[in-house]
Coordinates of all heavy atoms in Angstrom, one line a residue:
M1 N 0.8 -1.2 0.0 CA 0.0 0.1 0.0 C 0.8 1.2 0.0 O 0.5 2.3 -0.5 CB -0.9 0.0 1.2 CG -2.4 -0.3 0.9 SD -3.5 0.0 2.3 CE -4.9 -0.8 1.5
A2 N 2.1 1.1 0.5 CA 2.9 2.3 0.6 C 3.8 2.4 -0.7 O 4.8 3.1 -0.6 CB 3.8 2.3 1.9
E3 N 3.5 1.8 -1.7 CA 4.3 1.7 -2.8 C 4.3 3.1 -3.5 O 5.4 3.5 -4.0 CB 3.8 0.7 -3.7 CG 4.2 -0.7 -3.4 CD 3.8 -1.7 -4.4 OE1 3.9 -1.4 -5.5 OE2 3.1 -2.7 -4.0
H4 N 3.2 3.7 -3.5 CA 3.0 5.0 -4.1 C 2.9 6.0 -3.2 O 2.0 6.4 -2.6 CB 1.7 5.0 -5.0 CG 2.0 4.4 -6.4 ND1 2.8 4.9 -7.3 CD2 1.4 3.3 -7.0 CE1 2.8 4.1 -8.4 NE2 1.9 3.1 -8.2
K5 N 4.2 6.8 -3.0 CA 4.1 7.8 -2.1 C 4.2 9.1 -2.9 O 5.3 9.4 -3.3 CB 5.3 7.6 -1.2 CG 4.9 7.3 0.2 CD 6.2 7.4 1.0 CE 6.0 6.6 2.4 NZ 7.1 6.4 3.0
S6 N 3.1 9.6 -3.2 CA 3.2 10.9 -4.0 C 3.3 12.0 -3.1 O 2.8 12.1 -1.9 CB 1.9 11.0 -4.8 OG 0.7 11.6 -4.0
P7 N 4.0 13.1 -3.4 CA 4.2 14.2 -2.6 C 2.9 14.9 -2.3 O 2.8 15.7 -1.3 CB 5.3 15.0 -3.3 CG 5.2 14.5 -4.7 CD 4.7 13.2 -4.6
E8 N 2.1 14.8 -3.3 CA 0.7 15.5 -3.1 C -0.2 14.7 -2.2 O 0.0 13.5 -2.1 CB -0.1 15.5 -4.5 CG 0.6 16.4 -5.4 CD 0.0 16.2 -6.8 OE1 -1.1 16.2 -6.9 OE2 1.0 16.1 -7.8
R9 N -0.9 15.4 -1.5 CA -1.9 14.8 -0.5 C -3.0 14.1 -1.3 O -3.8 14.8 -2.0 CB -2.4 15.9 0.5 CG -2.5 15.1 1.9 CD -2.9 16.1 2.8 NE -4.3 16.0 3.3 CZ -5.1 17.0 3.5 NH1 -4.6 18.2 3.6 NH2 -6.2 16.8 3.8
Q10 N -3.0 13.0 -1.3 CA -4.0 12.2 -1.9 C -5.4 12.5 -1.3 O -5.5 12.5 -0.1 CB -3.8 10.7 -2.1 CG -4.4 10.0 -3.0 CD -3.6 9.4 -4.2 OE1 -2.4 9.1 -3.9 NE2 -4.1 9.5 -5.4
E11 N -6.4 12.6 -2.1 CA -7.7 12.9 -1.5 C -8.3 11.6 -1.1 O -8.6 10.7 -1.8 CB -8.6 13.5 -2.5 CG -9.7 14.3 -1.7 CD -10.4 15.3 -2.5 OE1 -10.1 15.4 -3.7 OE2 -11.2 16.0 -2.0
E12 N -8.5 11.4 0.3 CA -9.2 10.3 0.8 C -10.6 10.5 0.9 O -11.1 11.6 1.0 CB -8.8 10.1 2.2 CG -7.2 9.9 2.3 CD -6.9 8.3 2.1 OE1 -7.8 7.7 1.8 OE2 -5.7 8.0 2.3
L13 N -11.4 9.4 0.7 CA -12.8 9.5 0.7 C -13.2 9.1 2.1 O -12.6 8.2 2.7 CB -13.5 8.7 -0.4 CG -13.2 9.3 -1.8 CD1 -13.9 8.3 -2.9 CD2 -13.4 10.7 -1.9
C14 N -14.4 9.7 2.6 CA -15.0 9.2 3.8 C -15.2 7.7 3.9 O -15.8 7.1 2.9 CB -16.3 10.0 3.9 SG -17.2 9.7 5.5
T15 N -14.8 7.1 5.0 CA -14.8 5.7 5.1 C -16.3 5.3 5.6 O -16.5 4.1 5.7 CB -13.8 5.3 6.1 OG1 -12.7 6.0 5.9 CG2 -13.4 3.8 5.9
V16 N -17.1 6.2 5.9 CA -18.4 5.8 6.4 C -19.2 5.3 5.2 O -19.2 5.8 4.0 CB -19.2 7.0 7.0 CG1 -20.6 6.5 7.4 CG2 -18.4 7.6 8.2
K17 N -19.8 4.2 5.5 CA -20.6 3.4 4.4 C -21.6 4.5 3.8 O -22.3 5.4 4.4 CB -21.4 2.3 5.0 CG -20.5 1.0 5.1 CD -21.4 -0.1 5.7 CE -20.4 -1.2 6.1 NZ -21.2 -2.1 7.0
A18 N -21.6 4.3 2.4 CA -22.7 5.3 1.7 C -22.5 6.7 1.9 O -23.4 7.4 1.8 CB -24.2 4.8 2.1
C19 N -21.2 7.1 2.2 CA -21.1 8.5 2.1 C -20.2 8.9 0.9 O -20.7 9.5 0.0 CB -20.3 8.9 3.4 SG -19.8 10.7 3.5
G20 N -18.9 8.7 0.9 CA -18.0 8.9 -0.3 C -17.7 10.4 -0.4 O -17.2 10.7 -1.6
K21 N -17.9 11.2 0.6 CA -17.5 12.6 0.3 C -15.9 12.6 0.7 O -15.3 11.7 1.2 CB -18.2 13.5 1.4 CG -19.6 13.8 1.0 CD -20.1 14.9 1.9 CE -21.6 14.5 2.3 NZ -22.0 15.4 3.3
A22 N -15.3 13.8 0.4 CA -13.9 13.9 0.6 C -13.7 13.9 2.1 O -14.4 14.6 2.8 CB -13.4 15.3 0.0
A23 N -12.6 13.2 2.5 CA -12.3 13.1 4.0 C -11.5 14.3 4.4 O -10.6 14.7 3.7 CB -11.6 11.9 4.2
E24 N -11.7 14.8 5.5 CA -11.0 15.9 6.1 C -10.1 15.4 7.4 O -8.9 15.9 7.6 CB -11.8 16.9 6.6 CG -12.8 17.5 5.6 CD -12.6 19.0 5.6 OE1 -12.5 19.7 6.7 OE2 -12.7 19.6 4.6
R25 N -10.5 14.3 7.9 CA -9.9 13.9 9.1 C -9.7 12.3 9.1 O -10.6 11.8 8.5 CB -10.5 14.3 10.5 CG -10.8 15.7 10.5 CD -9.8 16.5 11.2 NE -10.3 17.8 11.5 CZ -9.7 18.5 12.6 NH1 -8.9 18.0 13.1 NH2 -10.1 19.8 12.5
S26 N -8.7 11.8 9.8 CA -8.7 10.3 10.0 C -8.6 10.1 11.4 O -7.8 10.7 12.2 CB -7.6 9.8 9.2 OG -6.4 9.9 9.7
I27 N -9.4 9.1 11.9 CA -9.3 8.8 13.3 C -9.2 7.2 13.3 O -9.3 6.7 12.3 CB -10.6 9.1 14.1 CG1 -11.8 8.6 13.4 CG2 -10.6 10.6 14.2 CD1 -12.9 8.6 14.3
S28 N -8.9 6.6 14.5 CA -8.9 5.2 14.5 C -10.4 4.5 14.3 O -11.2 5.2 14.6 CB -8.3 4.7 15.8 OG -9.3 4.8 16.7
T29 N -10.3 3.4 13.6 CA -11.7 2.7 13.3 C -12.3 2.5 14.6 O -13.5 2.4 14.7 CB -11.4 1.5 12.5 OG1 -10.4 0.7 13.1 CG2 -11.0 1.8 11.1
D30 N -11.4 2.2 15.7 CA -12.2 1.9 17.0 C -13.0 3.0 17.5 O -14.0 3.0 17.9 CB -11.1 1.5 18.1 CG -10.5 0.1 17.8 OD1 -11.1 -0.6 17.1 OD2 -9.6 -0.3 18.6
A31 N -12.3 4.1 17.4 CA -12.9 5.4 17.9 C -14.2 5.5 17.1 O -15.2 6.1 17.6 CB -12.0 6.6 17.8
A32 N -14.1 5.4 15.7 CA -15.2 5.5 14.9 C -16.4 4.8 15.3 O -17.6 5.1 15.3 CB -14.8 5.6 13.5
S33 N -16.1 3.4 15.6 CA -17.2 2.6 15.8 C -17.7 2.7 17.2 O -19.0 2.6 17.3 CB -16.8 1.0 15.5 OG -15.7 0.7 16.2
E34 N -16.9 3.2 18.0 CA -17.4 3.6 19.3 C -18.5 4.7 19.2 O -19.3 4.7 20.1 CB -16.2 3.9 20.3 CG -15.8 2.9 21.1 CD -14.5 3.2 21.9 OE1 -14.4 4.2 22.4 OE2 -13.7 2.3 21.9
A35 N -18.1 5.6 18.2 CA -19.0 6.7 18.1 C -20.2 6.2 17.4 O -21.2 7.1 17.1 CB -18.3 7.9 17.5
G36 N -20.3 5.0 16.9 CA -21.5 4.5 16.3 C -21.5 4.8 14.7 O -22.5 4.8 14.1
L37 N -20.4 5.2 14.2 CA -20.3 5.3 12.7 C -20.2 4.1 12.2 O -19.4 3.1 12.6 CB -19.1 6.4 12.4 CG -19.2 7.8 13.0 CD1 -17.9 8.6 12.7 CD2 -20.4 8.5 12.2
D38 N -20.9 4.0 11.0 CA -20.8 2.7 10.1 C -19.6 2.7 9.1 O -19.7 3.1 8.1 CB -22.1 2.6 9.4 CG -22.5 1.2 9.1 OD1 -21.6 0.3 9.5 OD2 -23.5 1.0 8.5
I39 N -18.5 2.3 9.6 CA -17.2 2.3 8.8 C -17.1 1.1 7.9 O -17.6 -0.1 8.3 CB -16.1 2.3 9.8 CG1 -16.1 3.6 10.7 CG2 -14.7 2.2 9.3 CD1 -16.0 4.9 9.9
M40 N -16.7 1.2 6.9 CA -16.5 0.1 5.8 C -15.6 -0.9 6.5 O -14.6 -0.6 7.1 CB -16.0 0.7 4.6 CG -16.8 1.1 3.7 SD -16.1 1.7 2.1 CE -16.2 3.4 2.3
E41 N -15.9 -2.1 6.3 CA -15.1 -3.3 6.8 C -13.8 -3.3 6.2 O -13.7 -2.9 4.9 CB -15.8 -4.6 6.6 CG -16.9 -4.8 7.7 CD -17.9 -5.8 7.2 OE1 -17.5 -6.9 6.9 OE2 -19.0 -5.5 7.3
G42 N -12.7 -3.7 7.0 CA -11.4 -3.8 6.4 C -10.5 -2.4 6.4 O -9.4 -2.4 6.0
A43 N -11.3 -1.4 6.6 CA -10.5 -0.1 6.7 C -9.6 -0.1 7.9 O -9.9 -0.6 9.1 CB -11.4 1.1 6.8
R44 N -8.4 0.5 7.6 CA -7.4 0.5 8.9 C -7.5 1.8 9.5 O -7.4 1.8 10.8 CB -6.0 0.4 8.2 CG -5.7 -0.8 7.4 CD -4.2 -1.0 7.2 NE -3.8 -2.3 7.2 CZ -2.7 -2.7 7.6 NH1 -1.7 -1.9 7.8 NH2 -2.3 -4.1 7.5
R45 N -7.9 2.8 8.9 CA -8.2 4.0 9.5 C -9.6 4.6 9.1 O -9.8 4.1 7.9 CB -7.2 5.3 9.1 CG -5.7 4.8 9.5 CD -5.4 5.3 10.9 NE -5.6 6.7 11.1 CZ -5.5 7.0 12.4 NH1 -5.5 6.3 13.4 NH2 -5.7 8.4 12.6
A46 N -10.2 5.2 9.9 CA -11.4 5.8 9.6 C -11.3 7.2 9.0 O -10.8 8.2 9.9 CB -12.4 5.8 10.6
H47 N -11.5 7.5 7.8 CA -11.4 8.8 7.2 C -12.8 9.4 7.3 O -13.7 8.9 6.7 CB -10.9 8.6 5.8 CG -9.4 8.2 5.6 ND1 -8.4 9.0 6.0 CD2 -9.0 6.9 5.5 CE1 -7.2 8.2 5.9 NE2 -7.6 7.0 5.5
L48 N -12.9 10.6 7.9 CA -14.1 11.2 7.9 C -14.3 12.5 7.2 O -13.3 13.3 7.2 CB -14.4 11.4 9.5 CG -14.4 10.2 10.3 CD1 -14.8 10.6 11.8 CD2 -15.5 9.2 9.9
C49 N -15.3 12.7 6.5 CA -15.7 14.0 5.9 C -16.1 15.0 7.0 O -16.1 14.6 8.1 CB -16.7 13.9 4.9 SG -18.3 13.4 5.6
K50 N -16.1 16.1 6.7 CA -16.5 17.2 7.6 C -17.7 16.8 8.4 O -17.7 16.9 9.7 CB -16.7 18.5 6.8 CG -16.3 19.7 7.7 CD -16.7 20.9 6.9 CE -15.8 21.4 5.8 NZ -16.2 22.7 5.1
D51 N -18.7 16.4 7.7 CA -20.0 16.1 8.5 C -19.9 15.0 9.4 O -20.5 15.0 10.5 CB -21.0 15.8 7.3 CG -21.5 17.0 6.6 OD1 -21.1 18.0 6.9 OD2 -22.1 16.7 5.5
H52 N -19.2 14.0 8.9 CA -19.1 12.7 9.8 C -18.1 13.0 10.9 O -18.3 12.4 12.0 CB -18.7 11.5 9.0 CG -19.9 10.9 8.4 ND1 -19.9 10.8 7.1 CD2 -21.0 10.4 8.9 CE1 -21.1 10.3 6.7 NE2 -21.8 9.9 7.9
Y53 N -17.2 13.8 10.7 CA -16.2 14.2 11.9 C -17.0 15.0 12.9 O -16.8 14.8 14.1 CB -15.1 15.1 11.3 CG -14.0 15.2 12.4 CD1 -13.3 14.2 12.9 CD2 -13.8 16.6 13.0 CE1 -12.4 14.4 14.0 CE2 -13.0 16.8 13.9 CZ -12.1 15.6 14.3 OH -11.2 16.0 15.3
K54 N -18.0 15.9 12.4 CA -18.7 16.6 13.4 C -19.6 15.7 14.1 O -19.8 15.8 15.3 CB -19.6 17.6 12.5 CG -19.7 19.0 13.1 CD -20.7 19.9 12.5 CE -20.1 20.5 11.2 NZ -21.1 21.3 10.4
E55 N -20.2 14.7 13.3 CA -21.0 13.8 14.1 C -20.2 12.9 15.1 O -20.7 12.7 16.2 CB -21.7 12.8 13.0 CG -22.9 12.3 13.4 CD -23.5 11.4 12.4 OE1 -23.5 11.9 11.1 OE2 -24.0 10.3 12.5
Y56 N -19.0 12.6 14.6 CA -18.3 11.8 15.6 C -18.0 12.5 16.8 O -18.0 12.0 18.0 CB -16.9 11.4 14.8 CG -15.8 11.1 15.7 CD1 -15.7 10.0 16.5 CD2 -14.6 12.0 15.9 CE1 -14.6 9.7 17.3 CE2 -13.7 11.8 16.8 CZ -13.6 10.6 17.4 OH -12.5 10.4 18.3
K57 N -17.6 13.7 16.7 CA -17.4 14.7 17.9 C -18.5 14.8 18.8 O -18.5 14.7 20.0 CB -16.8 16.0 17.3 CG -15.4 15.9 17.0 CD -14.7 17.3 16.6 CE -14.5 18.2 17.9 NZ -14.0 19.5 17.5
K58 N -19.7 15.0 18.0 CA -20.9 15.1 18.8 C -21.2 13.8 19.6 O -21.5 13.9 20.7 CB -22.0 15.4 17.9 CG -23.0 16.3 18.4 CD -24.3 16.3 17.5 CE -24.1 17.2 16.2 NZ -25.1 17.0 15.3
R59 N -21.0 12.8 18.9 CA -21.5 11.4 19.6 C -20.5 11.1 20.6 O -20.8 10.6 21.6 CB -21.5 10.4 18.5 CG -22.6 10.5 17.5 CD -22.9 9.3 16.9 NE -23.8 9.5 15.8 CZ -24.3 8.5 15.1 NH1 -24.1 7.3 15.3 NH2 -25.2 8.7 14.1
S60 N -19.3 11.4 20.4 CA -18.3 10.9 21.4 C -18.4 11.8 22.6 O -18.3 11.4 23.8 CB -16.8 10.9 21.0 OG -16.5 12.1 20.3
K61 N -18.8 13.1 22.4 CA -19.0 13.9 23.5 C -20.3 13.5 24.4 O -20.2 13.4 25.7 CB -19.2 15.3 23.1 CG -18.6 16.4 24.0 CD -18.9 17.8 23.4 CE -18.0 18.2 22.2 NZ -18.3 19.5 21.7
K62 N -21.3 13.1 23.5 CA -22.5 12.7 24.2 C -22.3 11.4 25.0 O -22.8 11.2 26.1 CB -23.5 12.4 23.2 CG -24.9 12.8 23.6 CD -26.0 12.3 22.5 CE -26.3 13.4 21.4 NZ -27.0 12.9 20.4
D63 N -21.5 10.4 24.5 CA -21.2 9.2 25.1 C -20.7 9.5 26.5 O -20.9 8.9 27.5 CB -20.4 8.4 24.2 CG -21.1 7.7 23.1 OD1 -22.3 7.7 23.2 OD2 -20.6 7.0 22.3
R64 N -19.6 10.3 26.4 CA -19.0 10.6 27.6 C -19.9 11.1 28.6 O -19.9 10.9 29.9 CB -17.8 11.7 27.4 CG -16.5 11.3 28.1 CD -15.4 12.1 27.5 NE -14.9 11.8 26.2 CZ -14.4 12.5 25.3 NH1 -14.4 13.9 25.6 NH2 -14.0 12.1 24.1
K65 N -20.7 12.1 28.1 CA -21.6 12.7 29.1 C -22.7 11.6 29.6 O -22.9 11.5 30.9 CB -22.5 13.7 28.4 CG -22.9 14.9 29.3 CD -23.8 15.9 28.7 CE -22.9 17.1 28.0 NZ -23.8 18.0 27.3
L66 N -23.3 10.8 28.7 CA -24.1 9.7 29.1 C -23.3 8.7 30.3 O -23.8 8.3 31.2 CB -24.6 9.0 28.1 CG -25.6 9.6 27.3 CD1 -25.9 8.7 26.0 CD2 -26.8 9.9 28.0
D67 N -22.1 8.5 29.8 CA -21.4 7.7 30.7 C -21.2 8.2 32.1 O -21.5 7.4 33.1 CB -20.0 7.4 30.1 CG -19.2 6.2 30.6 OD1 -20.1 5.1 30.7 OD2 -18.1 6.2 30.9
S68 N -20.9 9.4 32.1 CA -20.6 10.0 33.5 C -22.0 10.1 34.2 O -22.0 9.9 35.6 CB -20.1 11.3 33.5 OG -20.6 12.2 32.6
L69 N -23.0 10.4 33.6 CA -24.4 10.3 34.0 C -24.9 9.0 34.7 O -25.6 8.8 35.6 CB -25.4 10.8 33.1 CG -25.4 12.4 32.9 CD1 -26.3 12.7 31.8 CD2 -25.8 13.2 34.1
G70 N -24.3 8.0 33.8 CA -24.8 6.6 34.2 C -24.1 6.1 35.4 O -24.5 5.2 36.1
H71 N -22.9 6.8 35.9 CA -22.3 6.1 37.1 C -22.7 6.8 38.4 O -23.1 8.0 38.4 CB -20.8 6.4 36.9 CG -20.2 5.4 36.0 ND1 -20.3 4.0 36.2 CD2 -19.8 5.5 34.7 CE1 -19.6 3.3 35.2 NE2 -19.5 4.2 34.2
Ligands
ZN1 ZN1 -18.8 11.1 5.5

């Protein structure tokens, strides 16, 4: 996979199923699935478009809040 190292930043697409927009951020797939995002199977990193990154942040924040409320 690392055979082609182009100096230009290759545009990654959002790894969320049925999205396909240009990705802006990448996070670990674990973090993404914890946030409830439907990541394509076999992906090593979860690349998120602007919208899904926002959703990820929102959800992970909410989870934390719910978690602390639950205890
Ligand atoms: Zn997306």
Side-chain angles (χ1 to χ4, degrees):
M1 255 190 190
E3 282 179 51
H4 277 294
K5 253 191 198 164
S6 83
E8 288 164 49
R9 220 172 101 213
Q10 199 108 34
E11 200 161 10
E12 297 278 0
L13 297 180
C14 184
T15 323
V16 177
K17 283 179 188 169
C19 179
K21 285 190 219 165
E24 298 233 323
R25 310 271 186 148
S26 75
I27 60 170
S28 72
T29 51
D30 283 354
S33 54
E34 260 170 45
L37 293 172
D38 206 4
I39 296 297
M40 279 183 249
E41 282 162 48
R44 297 194 147 205
R45 295 282 294 170
H47 297 277
L48 301 180
C49 65
K50 210 189 279 175
D51 293 347
H52 278 119
Y53 186 68
K54 220 187 274 176
E55 203 173 316
Y56 156 72
K57 280 182 75 176
K58 215 192 283 171
R59 290 198 191 188
S60 50
K61 220 183 277 171
K62 210 189 275 172
D63 280 354
R64 223 169 284 150
K65 209 184 267 175
L66 284 176
D67 198 41
S68 59
L69 283 175
H71 284 294

